[in-house]
Amino acid sequence: MSQRNVGTLDIERIRSDFPILEREFDDQQVVYLDNAATTQTPDPVIDAMSDYYRYTNSNVHRGIHHLSQEASEAYERAHDRVAEFIGASGGREEVIFTKNTTESENLVAYSWGLNELGPGDEVVLTEMEHHASLVTWQQIAHETGAEVKYIQIDEDGRLDMDHARECITDDTAILSAVHVSNTLGTVNPVAKLTEIAHKHGALSFIDGAQAVPNRPVDVEEIDADFYAFSGHKMAGPTGIGVLYGKKQLLEEMEPYLYGGGMIRKVTFEDSTWADLPWKFEPGTPPIAEAVGLEAAIDYLEEIGMERVQAHEEELAEYAYEQLKAEGDVEIYGPEPGPDRSGLVGFNLESVHAHDLASIMNDHTVAVRAGDHCTQPLHDKLGVAASARASFYVYNTREEIDKLIDAIDDARQLFA
Amino acid sequence: MGMGSDMYRQQILDHYKSPRNYGELEDPTFTHVGENPMCGDEIQMDVKLEDDEETIKHVAFSGDGCAISQASASMLSGKLAGKTIDELLEMDRDDIVDMLGVEISPMRIKCAVLAEKVAQDGAKIYRGELDKSKTSTED
Ligand SMILES: Cc1ncc(COP(=O)(O)O)c(C=O)c1O
């Protein structure tokens, strides 16, 4: 799906939508390269949310009054917009708003996993899972007696697909795989993995936290049974995430959290559940955040997801080459190409990743350093921590040059 | 040098590049290990007491991690010689920041205090006041 030369972005204009990029520390403008952790929020998203609070704020699904009606409509419409964005033809019934990707994982693990898994069942993960899925399925497996298996990665940081075929068997109940690795930048063949899972009668859960923000995603093309992502990594607000699920599966699943708003009828003795997706959205939901998420989708689609992807890949390739040219930088994950996304994890030979990040911070270059919530993967890579630069629509080559300057400074300091 | 870092003054870099008292003691009175999971720092502190069982004779450290944690362990190992266990247990994070002589950013303070925590827990275990196999800065 990678398309080159789909037109460069008008970076000046895009940057002007993100006031935070003007911030300075010690007279140096911030260079924000920590987008895989969270992206910045453009004015149109902030405006949509503040307008919501200024003119529409009300609770949803319970007021007869005008404001509640408007708020309810806005909140419901955001579900439709998300469905359209990710190609969910079932519309809002297949789109559940959660707090974040992590909660989306937990929703399925508790609602489906706790009820369906047992001894003899297998949950197949990849070695590059984020703790959001790794820890969740590991613990649910402990509780149910199911077994967890991990699809290995090869030397380049790609999934070993032969091993995937070995791991996924008729005993596999669910495959949970990350679409784009937040540590290696690998873009996994999730449609293929899903096909293998389905052949064995297993379900497929895809963690799209690092994919939906920066490439066109069509959940039906992947044929994923579940697909999860977070608003705050795609120019949207914190506090909202998405769980896509195939309607039939969601209908069969029991609620994960109970309370108001998710019920049809309640007596002292028992309760019945509301329709999808509300069955899975108890209590007062993230209404302003849903409005913000819709605005973020509008913003990204106006740029065009192919162009977002092309821009990120171009920056990643540039960063990869610059880092490689340094000679003493170890870079993780595949070489630039269609199966590599716009983030680059690395280590400078002589400097611990946290020292490196501290020195970068002195240059006002914001990168992530640590285990990126993939501790087992770091164990496998043989390092305790790595540094990671990740890019978004507003980043430039000049900013990557500043990253390289900071690396040079760190090397000198530690020489 | 570029703009350099306030946190990485010469003293810290010097202790990081040429750590003092690095290694393991042959017959330590007590030894203890700890980690800072945030950074992946791991440190073992070996302590040898004088015959009075109170005064610290030698300290050695081993392990690896970021410059802040390693330099802090190196400096602390020198500073503790001649102090009593009680004095070790009285130390707090301010003493470590003073010892390092630089401002430590909030995100890195755990790296700075790891060696101190490990030595203190080791001393408490030795005295029978604590029971744990490994110290973590997350405890
Ligand atoms: C691949 C991946 N999965 C899951 C998550 C968790 O996202 P959140 O913290 O929004 O739940 C992240 C982000 O940290 C991620 O990169």
Side-chain angles (χ1 to χ4, degrees), chain A residues 256-314:
Chain A
Y256 155 58
L257 296 169
Y258 301 106
M262 52 80 68
I263 45 83
R264 180 186 304 279
K265 176 111 181 76
V266 180
T267 65
F268 282 123
E269 288 72 35
D270 209 355
S271 307
T272 54
W273 315 133
D275 290 335
L276 290 175
W278 325 122
K279 175 172 104 176
F280 291 105
E281 296 184 357
T284 300
I287 310 168
E289 288 77 4
V291 168
L293 180 60
E294 177 171 1
I297 292 173
D298 289 345
Y299 187 83
L300 291 174
E301 284 210 320
E302 199 176 307
I303 297 173
M305 291 312 293
E306 273 94 2
R307 295 171 78 207
V308 173
Q309 179 178 2
H311 177 70
E312 247 197 64
E313 285 177 356
E314 188 192 312

Side-chain angles (χ1 to χ4, degrees), chain A residues 89-103:
Chain A
S89 59
R92 67 176 65 167
E93 292 177 302
E94 298 190 316
V95 171
I96 298 160
F97 284 161
T98 59
K99 197 164 59 200
N100 48 34
T101 304
T102 305
E103 194 188 49

Side-chain angles (χ1 to χ4, degrees), chain A residues 36-37 100-103 130 132 178 180-182 207 209-210 230 232-233 368 373 388:
Chain A
N100 48 34
T101 304
T102 305
E103 194 188 49
H130 187 279
V178 66
V180 171
S181 162
N182 69 319
D207 169 354
Q210 299 294 350
S230 298
H232 69 95
K233 293 184 196 284
R368 176 89 188 261
C373 296
R388 178 185 70 192

Side-chain angles (χ1 to χ4, degrees), chain A residues 220-241:
Chain A
E220 293 187 354
E221 225 169 77
I222 298 167
D223 202 20
D225 297 296
F226 302 105
Y227 194 101
F229 55 100
S230 298
H232 69 95
K233 293 184 196 284
M234 50 184 290
T238 56
I240 189 163

Side-chain angles (χ1 to χ4, degrees), chain A residues 352 354-355 358 362 409 413 415, chain B residues 1 5 8 17 39 67 108:
Chain A
H352 188 284
H354 275 111
D355 294 323
S358 286
D362 292 330
D409 187 34
L413 208 53
Chain B
M1 194 162 5
S5 165
Y8 299 93
K17 291 178 205 168
C39 251
R108 305 299 303 279

Side-chain angles (χ1 to χ4, degrees), chain B residues 8-53:
Chain B
Y8 299 93
R9 294 253 179 78
Q10 212 46 52
Q11 187 185 218
I12 299 240
L13 290 169
D14 178 49
H15 274 268
Y16 177 59
K17 291 178 205 168
S18 347
R20 323 293 198 269
N21 308 307
Y22 191 88
E24 295 185 13
L25 293 183
E26 274 200 358
D27 57 341
T29 316
F30 60 85
T31 177
H32 188 56
V33 291
E35 64 176 3
N36 169 16
M38 239 228 8
C39 251
D41 305 325
E42 284 229 339
I43 280 180
Q44 173 177 325
M45 301 289 282
D46 291 0
V47 176
K48 177 76 182 162
L49 298 182
E50 302 276 9
D51 293 339
D52 67 3
E53 295 183 359

Side-chain angles (χ1 to χ4, degrees), chain A residues 358 361, chain B residues 7 68 102-112:
Chain A
S358 286
N361 187 49
Chain B
M7 223 156 60
I68 305 295
V102 295
E103 269 193 46
I104 300 292
S105 67
M107 294 297 291
R108 305 299 303 279
I109 196 76
K110 285 178 181 165
C111 312

